[in-house]
Amino acid sequence: MLQNYLKITWRNLRRNRVYALLNVVGLSLGIGCGLLVFWFIRFHTTHDAFHKDIDRVYQVTTEFHFDGTSYSRGVPPPTWKAVRDETSATAASICIEGYEKLMALIDADGRPVKKFKEGPGPKLAYVAPSYFKVFDYQWQVGSANSLAKPNTLVISKRMAEKYFGDEDPIGRIIKLENQLNLEVTGIVNDPPDNTDLPYEFFVSFATLENNKDFTYGGPPLDTWSGVNSNTYCFALLPAEVTAARFQKEIDAINKKYHGKDYKSYAHLVNKFREMHHSERYYGPVPYKWIYIMGTIGIFLIATACFNFINMATAQAVRRAKEVGIRKAVGGQRGQVFFQFIAETGVITAVALVLGFVMATLALPSLNKWLNLGGGWPSHVNWNDTMLWVFIIAMFVTVVFLAGSYPGLILAGFRPVVALKGGLNQQQAGGLNIRRSLIVLQFVLIQLLVICTLVINGQVDFMMNQPIGYETNGIAEITIPTPEKINQTTFRERLLSIPGVKDASFFLFSPTTNSNNTTNFRFDTRQKDEIWQMNTKNADHHYIDTYGLTLVAGKNIPPSDTVQGYLVNEKVVERLGVKNPEDIIGKKLQIWGIDAPIYGVLKNWNNASFEQEIAPIAVFTFKDIHYNCGLRLSSNNLQKTMKEVEKLWNSYFPDHLYEQSFLDESIARNYEFVRTMLRLVQIFSLIAIFIGCLGLYGLVKFMAVQKTKEIGVRKVLGANLAQILGLFGKEIAILVGLAFLVAAPLGWYLMNAWLQDYTYRIPIGFGTLVFAVLITLGVALLTSSYESIKAALVNPAKSLKSE
């Protein structure tokens, strides 16, 4: 019986090649995209799952209660010792993420023989030996105990090969940032792609404790009053200890060590695996994007299945006599049903193979094409059981979703009616059912188009909205040792380079994801304000170099230390002062330093448009001016930057030069959203294409069914436009009905998505109308060829068989 089913299937597919081709292409695209979406979701929901006890690993974070509530993944540095000694955790470790980039290999005489610039992104962390009790690493050489001593370093296998080749790394010296000599004491396996702990250099925490002069970028290691966002505390809990119990122990630590300020802080317990998706802690892939991608994958597979159902039921009239004969000679309804399921299975199997091949070939290059930086796995994990479960489940679902309804329709034919040829389209599959499926298909397509238009509009808004100062023509270079150079002389030499119009030394540029916030006190008030100030340490050339605008007062005076402050308009507003002029000359106390306010700056966006403008203070602190901004002319930019590099190398010969441009740095703030936009755009185009395949097949079949009707109409005087209207009118009605569903649903979903942005675009009615016009235009264009072809047939030819 099965052999007979397959033989009939093969004959039917050969006889209806266009039908088979459209179904295979549509299904393979839907299945291929479904696989890519599966790999995306699987990749991001299994981050760090390779650690044996990852479900019992927790991260302690900080909740600030100043003016409102804010959150940080960081904790005060002593937190980990308190967790280790005063809670039921099996193990606890500090992990200070470092962004140090310069590494030098030291020879036996203490001279650097090779220099390496690591990055982008964090590859280095300062950890206690217990870090390797919390997380699982495979040791190639050595053990975690080697990190108990100061100035020791464990590296990954990849870094061992990069720095030492075939030589033995153990006992060799690597110099960090030309400041610390670190002895290599161990080698661990390379971190996998799907980890939020991508470290390949592990420096002993004892190194920081033993080298007080080394600046790691955070507060003193013994203070509870400072929080650096890159200072993490991880804990491994015993199986019997619940998160609620651990939270109570952390609450006790909070009260004990924060003293009278404990109400301003809370330390929260979070499952480490959930941090990857946490919007509160700026996780790289929030759950909303997992849900969006999953929904898109379902949309694409469903669209392909609807295509199959539409075309299969449209073909039912042609197969009426075949089914009638089968039933007349004793064929049961179930046998006819499973014959069609077998045909669907063959088509789906072919489509599954093609879709899998397409997705597998695309996977290695997907990150590069989309500039994702690790959003997908780089290769197929053939040992992943869930992959095969998903493939089998998808095959079964597609076969029964796409094949059940057409199979039931065919199996339900009455033999007498079918053999007499009296079967009409309504009996052969329900015209209204097909119309409903087309409407549903266009609902899904229009939803994707609406999402694409709104996300694209928001990204364009963020990229093109004035940020509050001039970002073009600004280059930034690092200053490795600001305390050891004469910044005034260095600036003068920079300005002598043709093309350098201005220069300023600072810690953070006006817009950056790296920020410092602190408590402060205003004028004669007896207490610190309940909200915090964002600090920008910079010299008095800062506002001219970046084009910041003074709205009141004047610039701070030239100085190496704090002599005065500049604040932005947001500070004036939050202090309750109505006129910016009234704040000039008043005292401000930051970091315990009292100095007058010299001027008020016009507001600008300190971070991305997802966040509100922050209160900002600008003041000089020469020793931490680790960056220099250069305002450049557009003439011969490349030559100018080569001269800058030459001068920089004369000042810092033991370091590696690096530069960036401000507008590119700001654009990177929106890189993830832009990447997701590209994905939605690609999948929207594929969904439209799949929909067009089905629509083309339907119109082709409609043209055959309406051949005689068209012939009659032409004999009675109908022109080309009227004939085309037969097809266009029905398509327009179906697209319009889809719009009535898609427009309010799309508006609701995208309005909810936009709520994450402080500054956002409105969703106008024009956006929704544009979405339906795009869909309608594509639909009419798709149907035009077969419609015109049918309309141009000579009526004598179409009617002669009658």
Side-chain angles (χ1 to χ4, degrees):
M1 182 65 73
L2 180 60
Q3 184 179 359
N4 179 261
Y5 286 167
L6 294 175
K7 186 182 294 183
I8 298 298
T9 297
W10 175 245
R11 288 174 180 172
N12 279 319
L13 294 178
R14 286 183 62 189
R15 186 164 55 248
N16 300 294
R17 290 184 179 88
V18 174
Y19 157 77
L21 179 64
L22 293 177
N23 271 326
V24 168
V25 172
L27 280 175
S28 61
L29 279 173
I31 289 171
C33 292
L35 275 167
L36 290 174
V37 169
F38 167 80
W39 280 321
F40 177 88
I41 294 174
R42 184 76 174 149
F43 183 73
H44 287 288
T45 53
T46 57
H47 257 55
D48 290 293
F50 60 92
H51 296 293
K52 181 179 64 175
D53 298 316
I54 193 63
D55 288 324
R56 294 192 285 116
V57 175
Y58 287 80
Q59 183 170 1
V60 183
T61 61
T62 302
E63 180 180 83
F64 299 101
H65 302 150
F66 292 102
D67 181 27
T69 303
S70 58
Y71 301 89
S72 172
R73 290 185 64 183
V75 293
T79 303
W80 79 279
K81 290 183 178 178
V83 171
R84 178 193 64 187
D85 299 335
E86 302 176 37
T87 72
S88 51
T90 302
S93 175
I94 194 170
C95 174
I96 299 178
E97 193 170 82
Y99 284 83
E100 290 81 2
K101 297 179 181 179
L102 178 63
M103 314 288 280
L105 178 60
I106 304 300
D107 64 13
D109 297 324
R111 296 173 303 187
V113 291
K114 290 183 183 179
K115 295 181 183 178
F116 300 89
K117 184 169 65 174
E118 299 297 344
K123 285 191 175 182
L124 180 145
Y126 302 89
V127 300
S130 52
Y131 177 87
F132 296 95
K133 294 181 181 178
V134 178
F135 298 105
D136 292 315
Y137 286 82
Q138 294 182 354
W139 286 85
Q140 302 286 312
V141 181
S143 69
N145 292 333
S146 65
L147 288 177
K149 298 183 296 182
N151 296 83
T152 53
L153 172 72
V154 168
I155 59 177
S156 70
K157 181 181 178 182
R158 178 166 47 231
M159 291 300 110
E161 293 170 354
K162 176 180 177 179
Y163 280 65
F164 302 98
D166 296 331
E167 299 177 16
D168 183 8
I170 303 302
R172 300 290 299 274
I173 303 297
I174 291 179
K175 193 167 191 175
L176 173 64
E177 288 293 320
N178 284 308
Q179 296 182 62
L180 293 177
N181 283 344
L182 304 172
E183 179 186 355
V184 178
T185 56
I187 303 173
V188 294
N189 267 17
D190 301 329
D193 292 336
N194 60 335
T195 179
D196 286 327
L197 305 168
Y199 312 124
E200 302 198 62
F201 298 91
F202 298 92
V203 182
S204 65
F205 179 66
T207 302
L208 293 181
E209 295 179 307
N210 195 57
N211 295 272
K212 302 295 184 182
D213 294 335
F214 180 74
T215 303
Y216 75 94
L221 298 177
D222 57 354
T223 182
W224 283 87
S225 61
V227 174
N228 177 270
S229 58
N230 295 325
T231 299
Y232 309 140
C233 174
F234 300 115
L236 176 66
L237 300 188
E240 67 276 7
V241 175
T242 64
R245 174 181 164 184
F246 186 46
Q247 182 65 65
K248 288 182 179 178
E249 295 171 342
I250 296 297
D251 291 341
I253 287 173
N254 183 45
K255 288 184 179 181
K256 178 178 178 180
Y257 291 101
H258 282 297
K260 63 180 182 179
D261 294 329
Y262 83 91
K263 290 185 178 180
S264 298
Y265 299 88
H267 295 297
L268 306 180
V269 170
N270 301 269
K271 256 194 172 181
F272 177 65
R273 287 187 69 173
E274 296 298 315
M275 299 298 284
H276 186 73
H277 307 291
S278 173
E279 291 188 68
R280 173 183 288 181
Y281 296 105
Y282 302 101
V285 182
Y287 273 121
K288 67 180 181 184
W289 286 108
I290 298 292
Y291 300 144
I292 288 172
M293 290 294 291
T295 303
I296 289 174
I298 293 171
F299 279 9
L300 289 164
I301 294 173
T303 299
C305 290
F306 295 158
N307 267 356
F308 190 99
I309 294 169
N310 280 328
M311 285 189 281
T313 53
Q315 292 282 332
V317 171
R318 290 184 176 182
R319 305 191 61 180
K321 289 186 179 180
E322 174 198 338
V323 174
I325 292 171
R326 282 183 174 276
K327 298 189 78 171
V329 297
Q332 300 296 313
R333 181 168 182 162
Q335 291 174 318
V336 175
F337 173 78
F338 280 106
Q339 177 197 335
F340 194 83
I341 288 294
E343 291 184 17
T344 307
V346 170
I347 293 174
T348 304
V350 174
L352 182 63
V353 171
L354 289 176
F356 190 86
V357 170
M358 285 190 295
T360 304
L361 292 175
L363 192 63
S365 303
L366 208 56
N367 288 317
K368 183 178 180 180
W369 289 344
L370 297 171
N371 196 25
L372 260 178
W376 259 281
S378 57
H379 60 279
V380 178
N381 179 9
W382 300 100
N383 296 320
D384 184 3
T385 304
M386 284 304 298
L387 170 63
W388 301 109
V389 170
F390 175 76
I391 289 173
I392 294 170
M394 183 165 56
F395 175 77
V396 173
T397 301
V398 170
V399 168
F400 281 93
L401 180 62
S404 293
Y405 179 72
L408 289 171
I409 293 298
L410 286 167
F413 285 174
R414 292 171 56 196
V416 175
V417 178
L419 291 172
K420 287 173 65 176
L423 203 66
N424 59 36
Q425 274 297 304
Q426 187 64 33
Q427 293 169 316
L431 193 58
N432 289 332
I433 292 294
R434 288 208 301 279
R435 285 170 174 161
S436 299
L437 289 174
I438 293 172
V439 169
L440 186 54
Q441 197 172 29
F442 278 119
V443 166
L444 301 182
I445 290 171
Q446 287 185 41
L447 277 175
L448 287 173
V449 173
I450 290 169
C451 291
T452 301
L453 292 174
V454 173
I455 296 173
N456 187 70
Q458 179 64 22
V459 171
D460 282 346
F461 170 78
M462 293 187 298
M463 296 301 295
N464 299 315
Q465 185 76 0
I467 203 168
Y469 63 95
E470 182 57 53
T471 61
N472 292 326
I474 302 288
E476 295 179 343
I477 59 176
T478 57
I479 305 298
T481 53
E483 74 286 357
K484 295 180 180 179
I485 66 169
N486 186 315
Q487 294 180 16
T488 301
T489 303
F490 187 36
R491 179 176 180 274
E492 289 173 353
R493 294 187 65 183
L494 284 169
L495 293 178
S496 68
I497 296 174
V500 178
K501 298 163 65 177
D502 211 337
S504 172
F505 296 95
F506 56 87
L507 180 58
F508 296 128
S509 59
T511 301
T512 176
N513 283 330
S514 299
N515 292 288
N516 277 339
T517 58
T518 185
N519 298 335
F520 73 100
R521 188 169 298 180
F522 175 63
D523 201 30
T524 58
R525 297 180 185 180
Q526 298 303 305
K527 294 182 178 179
D528 289 352
E529 300 300 314
I530 61 172
W531 44 279
Q532 292 195 314
M533 184 84 78
N534 193 299
T535 60
K536 300 282 187 185
N537 305 110
D539 62 21
H540 67 288
H541 301 289
Y542 192 66
I543 65 174
D544 290 332
T545 300
Y546 283 94
L548 302 175
T549 305
L550 277 168
V551 297
K554 60 183 180 180
N555 197 1
I556 51 177
S559 175
D560 289 342
T561 57
V562 183
Q563 298 297 315
Y565 299 101
L566 297 174
V567 297
N568 65 345
E569 293 172 306
K570 193 69 173 180
V571 173
V572 179
E573 175 192 330
R574 298 295 297 273
L575 287 173
V577 180
K578 293 183 178 179
N579 189 344
E581 295 286 352
D582 295 339
I583 205 173
I584 305 302
K586 299 290 180 65
K587 293 283 187 177
L588 205 61
Q589 185 185 94
I590 298 178
W591 298 353
I593 302 172
D594 279 309
I597 296 173
Y598 273 77
V600 177
L601 296 167
K602 183 180 178 181
N603 283 338
W604 72 89
N605 285 90
N606 177 59
S608 72
F609 278 90
E610 296 178 63
Q611 302 173 37
E612 189 178 358
I613 291 174
I616 298 171
V618 179
F619 55 97
T620 302
F621 212 92
K622 180 184 82 74
D623 287 355
I624 57 173
H625 291 169
Y626 288 104
N627 294 287
C628 177
L630 306 173
R631 175 168 292 281
L632 307 173
S633 65
S634 58
N635 299 326
N636 211 339
L637 191 63
Q638 187 176 8
K639 182 178 179 181
T640 299
M641 294 313 298
K642 283 185 177 179
E643 290 296 318
V644 170
E645 180 178 0
K646 182 178 178 181
L647 174 63
W648 189 95
N649 285 327
S650 70
Y651 270 77
F652 310 107
D654 295 330
H655 293 78
L656 290 175
Y657 174 81
E658 55 184 324
Q659 67 183 42
S660 61
F661 288 90
L662 181 62
D663 52 355
E664 295 174 358
S665 299
I666 293 173
R668 281 193 289 272
N669 291 341
Y670 308 107
E671 191 57 46
F672 178 73
V673 178
R674 292 168 69 187
T675 296
M676 300 312 292
L677 169 62
R678 286 193 288 271
L679 284 176
V680 175
Q681 288 172 333
I682 290 169
F683 286 137
S684 295
L685 290 173
I686 292 173
I688 291 172
F689 181 71
I690 293 173
C692 289
L693 290 177
L695 187 60
Y696 175 79
L698 267 179
V699 172
K700 185 178 181 66
F701 187 78
M702 285 169 60
V704 174
Q705 296 298 308
K706 292 179 180 287
T707 299
K708 290 184 174 61
E709 178 187 347
I710 293 170
V712 171
R713 286 179 179 273
K714 291 187 74 173
V715 167
L716 294 176
N719 58 32
L720 179 63
Q722 290 171 322
I723 300 300
L724 293 178
L726 288 173
F727 299 94
K729 181 180 178 181
E730 181 162 347
I731 291 171
I733 291 173
L734 297 179
V735 172
L737 289 173
F739 174 72
L740 294 178
V741 178
L745 183 58
W747 181 90
Y748 173 79
L749 293 174
M750 295 315 297
N751 187 62
W753 177 77
L754 286 170
Q755 297 309 307
D756 291 334
Y757 296 89
T758 303
Y759 307 98
R760 52 186 179 266
I761 61 169
I763 305 177
F765 186 67
T767 300
L768 305 179
V769 171
F770 189 45
V772 73
L773 290 177
I774 290 174
T775 312
L776 180 61
V778 172
L780 292 175
L781 188 64
T782 302
S783 63
S784 61
Y785 174 73
E786 286 298 331
S787 302
I788 294 171
K789 183 179 174 182
L792 292 176
V793 172
N794 190 324
K797 183 178 179 181
S798 60
L799 294 173
K800 69 179 180 180
S801 62
E802 195 60 52

